[in-house]
Amino acid sequence: MPIYNAPTKDMGFVLHEVLKIHEADIPGYEELDAETTAAILEEAGKLSENVLAPLNPVGDKQGCTLENGVVRTPEGFKNAYEQMRAGGWMGLDADPEYGGQGMPYVLNIAVGEMFVSSNMAFNMYQGLTHGAYAAIHAHGSDEQKETYLPNMVDGIWSGTMNLTEPHCGTDLGLIRTKAEPQDDGSYSITGSKIWISAGEHDLSENIVHLVLAKVPGGPEGVKGISLFIVPKFLVNEDGSLGQRNGVSCGGLEEKMGIHGNATCVMNYDGAKGFLIGELHKGMRAMFTMMNEARLGVGLQGYAQGAVAYQNALAFAQDRLQGRDVTGAKNPDGPADPIIVHPDVRRNLLHQKSFVEGARAFAFWGAQMIDRARRNEDAAAEGMISLLTPVIKGFLTDKGFETTVLAQQTLGGSGFTQEWGLEQFVRDARITMIYEGTNGIQSLDLVGRKLGADGGKHVMAFFDMVKSFIAENKGADETLDAQFFEPLKTASKDLQAAGMYFMQNGMKAPNNALSGSYDFMHLFGHVCLGLMWSRMAIAAKAALDGGTSDEAFYKAKLATGRYYMARQLPETATLLKRIESGADPVMELDAASF
Amino acid sequence: MPIYNAPTKDMGFVLHEVLKIHEADIPGYEELDAETTAAILEEAGKLSENVLAPLNPVGDKQGCTLENGVVRTPEGFKNAYEQMRAGGWMGLDADPEYGGQGMPYVLNIAVGEMFVSSNMAFNMYQGLTHGAYAAIHAHGSDEQKETYLPNMVDGIWSGTMNLTEPHCGTDLGLIRTKAEPQDDGSYSITGSKIWISAGEHDLSENIVHLVLAKVPGGPEGVKGISLFIVPKFLVNEDGSLGQRNGVSCGGLEEKMGIHGNATCVMNYDGAKGFLIGELHKGMRAMFTMMNEARLGVGLQGYAQGAVAYQNALAFAQDRLQGRDVTGAKNPDGPADPIIVHPDVRRNLLHQKSFVEGARAFAFWGAQMIDRARRNEDAAAEGMISLLTPVIKGFLTDKGFETTVLAQQTLGGSGFTQEWGLEQFVRDARITMIYEGTNGIQSLDLVGRKLGADGGKHVMAFFDMVKSFIAENKGADETLDAQFFEPLKTASKDLQAAGMYFMQNGMKAPNNALSGSYDFMHLFGHVCLGLMWSRMAIAAKAALDGGTSDEAFYKAKLATGRYYMARQLPETATLLKRIESGADPVMELDAASF
């Protein structure tokens, strides 16, 4: 069975030595001293290691079952869910007015990484609830909030998001689900939704579905979509559960991974729904929390890589095969542990340097969300909106790649179910697809975010990197050569790509759109290069300050050096691809493929 | 259910217009005129499309079962196996002396691609038999050949290769299986082997196991390993089946993919075995056919990519979502087919340009094997030995990547079992692991093959590319700019990497070993760049000659152009990684990972 060790120490390093959250002028952060966060992370870590991780292969093997409309989750899920509730984890960053703990989002993300690493399928149940909570919190009426939020924050009720229909996923303008106005002010919802994660299950007493539907007579396309609350059980005036609503699970999807989460076909058959937010403004309401939702999926991507890496490392330190070419390292044994071999180390460092860079990137993103929200800081809002598709697309592509590399470290054992690596690969795969495929992320980045507010945010990003380098270079030759120089080169590649889009994308948008995916990756590399540079500075400071834990900080520098020397140079190839423009992509006639 | 269309036309193009096999001075090739190969490919294609492909999801779903020592293959496998036998496909390139058809290996590879694309797990049963056949054919005594080969060529008996044990895979020197000499000249084999593909099943009447074991008192390590024939049923003097031997299946591995193939734990309990080849020379005997075996796995890698691409393309031409940014292409429909979108095209062209390049590379490799074998051409033998790890490692890494890209084209549908893409991903994954992990391939390439015969073969490769460019450039500006120039750049990157190894690997081998994996990929890109250049010349010739099928040849040029412009530039990054040397890889202490 796979292992999991909560990386609380590394999280503390990122939060307090790199991001220095305890010094940030963000309301709520003043509570986040190193001791407090460590205590919270330790608790979440224990739950992850002892309760969630052991259930992960169980959930994969058993999956969910549907019988007579009832969905049963795998053995042990209900018990674990109750422990999550009892610990107050579901409302960690929720509004205290509705029973939440009101903690900053950055802490939610740190805790979330551990929950996801240890059991992604399980954690999706509460993840979806959190998304539905956030939409109701932002757009619901006071009455709706009072009716639904306390129980959702508690976890005794759960939530879902219903967007996709068989004929439309990305192109939601084609939605057919209808919402007919009723005399009592409610709507009668009819239609079929697919791929609804946690659409039906036995973990909560009620399920609050958020459903996109069209009210007849409204505008065409996405401008005629509204958002509705459709509870599985209607709620009586006193808050107790009333009659069963006209919504049911029509089937479970058989899929590659995340078997422990029920992916449902949801049938709405004249179900009673309640408009949330404004009529025809459903898309806006559904996507208000998009930055958080997509950051959460980016987190899932690297979190699977993180646990996969831990298992690859344990295997590499234990498995004896062959000898170190420079001399035996385990002369008394039959062979050396495979971590002595350069190609095994290359593979492990590829994983490790991505995972730790990604963690810093995600936490930094979460900090920006806190700043945007809690300080009402427009610059932070603009920056995180720009970076959100990068976090989602890059961290899930590379996170998946990392699980595959980790699987490779185990050789044949990686292909067997026994060792668990293949589950991480199958589970991680979905993160590149849902919450907007990574292709869609790249379109969002290049087609929308780059030019937003006159390109102000991307210019701010470039300025930030430039100032960062200017402020830090010159103090240490090694850091200059190993970190800041490569970062500068990569950042120049990114600027050159942006310039190419400016000069060629205006007259022919396909010149930009053909390079959008590469641009997303280029951007991701620069962000991780920046994070590694920041981590290197923090590690250097600790070493200079006479830390008692030299090994940790030296490992940080060595791991960062690997990223800068061997991952970051990919930016050159990405730029070259982008600069080849639309012709190689658009030339071939669709019928001649 | 996924589709499969046998790519016989593209195969004919590679065989007759690019490789021009009908003009090659290789014994046996004179029979391979375009009509003959087309007829054979058509037949194999029909079997693949109509019999094997429909069984592929069945095999995945049902898997194999073990009950009281008996392994049952999925429903329909036995029937398909009999059709394969009846068609004479199992002995296509086998020695006519033992009932084979004696066709060149290149044809076997072309036919094999279709069998693998349509049902990889099924095709492994005969693939393993072919490997065992080849070893016995090369090293068996006349009596052994007469006893085993005719039935193996027919398929009524099958074969396996038994190498791995629980504590050793790559490092076979650690093998513990014992072979005790008996008075009758046979050996008593005792030990346990794992991950034995097709180790036990119900498709054939007898299973001929080839087993690596150690005779007590022999040299330590790999120098003391011998190879034995251990039939499931002993064979009587008249060729009929005798008593059951002491070998049994102790368990089936639960694994990520290739569920239709039984991966067995094989227990040898004083089983009667017969030495094949010389005592203590078992490694050599087992690996005689290594080039073929590894080329066969490279083929599996891209063949999964090939069928995955076909399904991605069909989806992209059918699925309506969004509008072409330059104007609707399907104005009467609710949306345009997604193939209009640049990022979808990028993804499809990435798949297509790899698959077609890989096909040409594999066929070219097979032609070299034919030349080495049939002409006893040492230069061809040296070249294919050099290229074998590249074919295996690069084509399986990129083949897997292609299946993942194809899955991505389908969005959420790609994650469901219904569409079949996720099976291609799971099945393709093993190709990067077995028959020597890709890390081992890269060590073989850099540690052994580069320096073999004083570096003669790699020099011959560089000379070949150089001459090819010199001979062909100048005739057509477009080909020069789009194909030969990029090839030259990539080839220079490869030479620079080789030079780096020469200059730095001698004094510190880790400088070479840390870059071996990147070198393997760099080499693979140059080979595909060469193949695309050769295909471009052939396509240009057809267009200049007034072909009636302009669309096909124009598509070839456009697809090749994509590869050269957008895949080949990866060589720059790979070179940069290699030139970063051992330090970033070796610096971190094993305990600090």
Side-chain angles (χ1 to χ4, degrees), chain A residues 176-207:
Chain A
R176 289 178 193 149
T177 297
K178 274 204 190 95
E180 303 267 4
Q182 305 297 300
D183 293 342
D184 64 357
S186 74
Y187 290 79
S188 171
I189 313 284
T190 301
S192 189
K193 296 283 182 178
I194 60 169
W195 301 342
I196 307 310
S197 297
E200 178 60 50
H201 56 81
D202 55 2
L203 301 178
S204 61
E205 294 181 5
N206 198 7
I207 302 178

Side-chain angles (χ1 to χ4, degrees), chain B residues 52 77 100 186 292 315 325 332-333 372 506:
Chain B
L52 304 188
F77 270 39
S186 73
E292 286 89 326
F315 186 91
V325 70
D332 298 336
M506 302 291 189

Side-chain angles (χ1 to χ4, degrees), chain A residues 61 165-172 174 195 253-259 309 313 317 319-326 334-335 339-343 345-346 348-350 352 400 404-405 407-408 410-418 422 425-427 429-430 432-433 437-440 442-443 489 509-510 513-518 551 554-555 558-559 561-562 565-567 569-573 576-578 580-581 583-593, chain B residues 61 165-172 174 195 253-259 309 313 317 319-326 334-335 339-340 342-343 345-346 348-350 352 400 404-405 407-408 410-418 422 425-427 429-430 432-433 437-440 442-443 489 509-510 513-518 551 554-555 558-559 561-562 565-567 569-573 576-578 580-581 583-593:
Chain A
K61 200 144 194 119
E165 300 182 6
H167 64 289
C168 69
T170 298
D171 191 353
L172 290 171
L174 304 174
W195 301 342
E253 213 68 56
E254 295 196 55
K255 53 200 195 294
M256 185 182 193
I258 48 168
H259 292 148
Y309 165 68
L313 174 61
Q317 283 172 328
R319 174 80 171 170
L320 307 179
Q321 275 317 252
R323 289 292 183 192
D324 187 331
V325 72
T326 63
I339 198 170
V340 304
H341 304 303
D343 190 63
R345 298 176 69 94
R346 168 201 62 79
L348 290 171
L349 279 162
H350 221 79
K352 179 176 168 69
F400 173 74
V404 172
L405 290 174
Q407 185 185 25
Q408 190 72 11
L410 277 77
S413 299
F415 197 66
T416 63
Q417 292 177 9
E418 186 185 348
E422 63 94 33
V425 171
R426 289 185 289 101
D427 286 356
R429 185 64 186 86
I430 189 61
M432 296 152 72
I433 297 172
T437 65
N438 287 358
I440 292 298
S442 77
L443 290 189
T489 304
N510 284 341
L513 297 178
S514 297
S516 63
Y517 210 92
D518 299 301
K554 283 187 171 169
T559 307
R561 180 186 181 186
Y562 180 95
R566 296 182 58 97
Q567 301 229 55
E570 213 190 319
T571 58
T573 295
K576 200 144 189 224
R577 274 191 198 145
I578 288 166
S580 74
D583 288 352
V585 173
M586 303 308 296
E587 182 184 2
L588 187 59
D589 188 71
S592 300
F593 263 73
Chain B
K61 201 146 192 120
E165 300 182 7
H167 65 290
C168 70
T170 298
D171 191 354
L172 290 171
L174 304 175
W195 301 342
E253 213 68 57
E254 295 195 56
K255 52 200 196 293
M256 185 184 195
I258 50 167
H259 292 150
Y309 165 68
L313 174 61
Q317 283 173 329
R319 174 80 171 172
L320 307 179
Q321 274 320 252
R323 290 292 185 193
D324 187 332
V325 70
T326 63
I339 197 170
V340 304
D343 189 64
R345 299 175 67 95
R346 168 200 62 79
L348 290 171
L349 278 162
H350 222 79
K352 180 177 168 69
F400 174 74
V404 172
L405 290 173
Q407 185 185 24
Q408 191 71 13
L410 277 77
S413 299
F415 197 68
T416 64
Q417 292 177 7
E418 186 185 347
E422 62 94 34
V425 172
R426 289 184 290 101
D427 287 356
R429 184 64 185 87
I430 188 61
M432 296 152 74
I433 296 172
T437 66
N438 287 357
I440 292 298
S442 77
L443 289 190
T489 303
N510 284 341
L513 298 177
S514 298
S516 63
Y517 210 94
D518 299 301
K554 283 186 171 169
T559 307
R561 180 188 182 185
Y562 179 94
R566 295 182 56 99
Q567 301 229 52
E570 213 190 320
T571 58
T573 294
K576 199 141 189 229
R577 271 189 201 151
I578 288 166
S580 74
D583 289 351
V585 173
M586 303 308 297
E587 182 182 1
L588 188 58
D589 187 71
S592 301
F593 264 74

Side-chain angles (χ1 to χ4, degrees), chain A residues 70 150 165 231 327 355 360 402 414 421 470 495 533 543 556-557 593:
Chain A
V70 176
E165 300 182 6
V355 166
T402 299
L421 273 293
Q495 290 190 57
S533 297
L543 287 167
K556 207 41 101 177
L557 286 171
F593 263 73

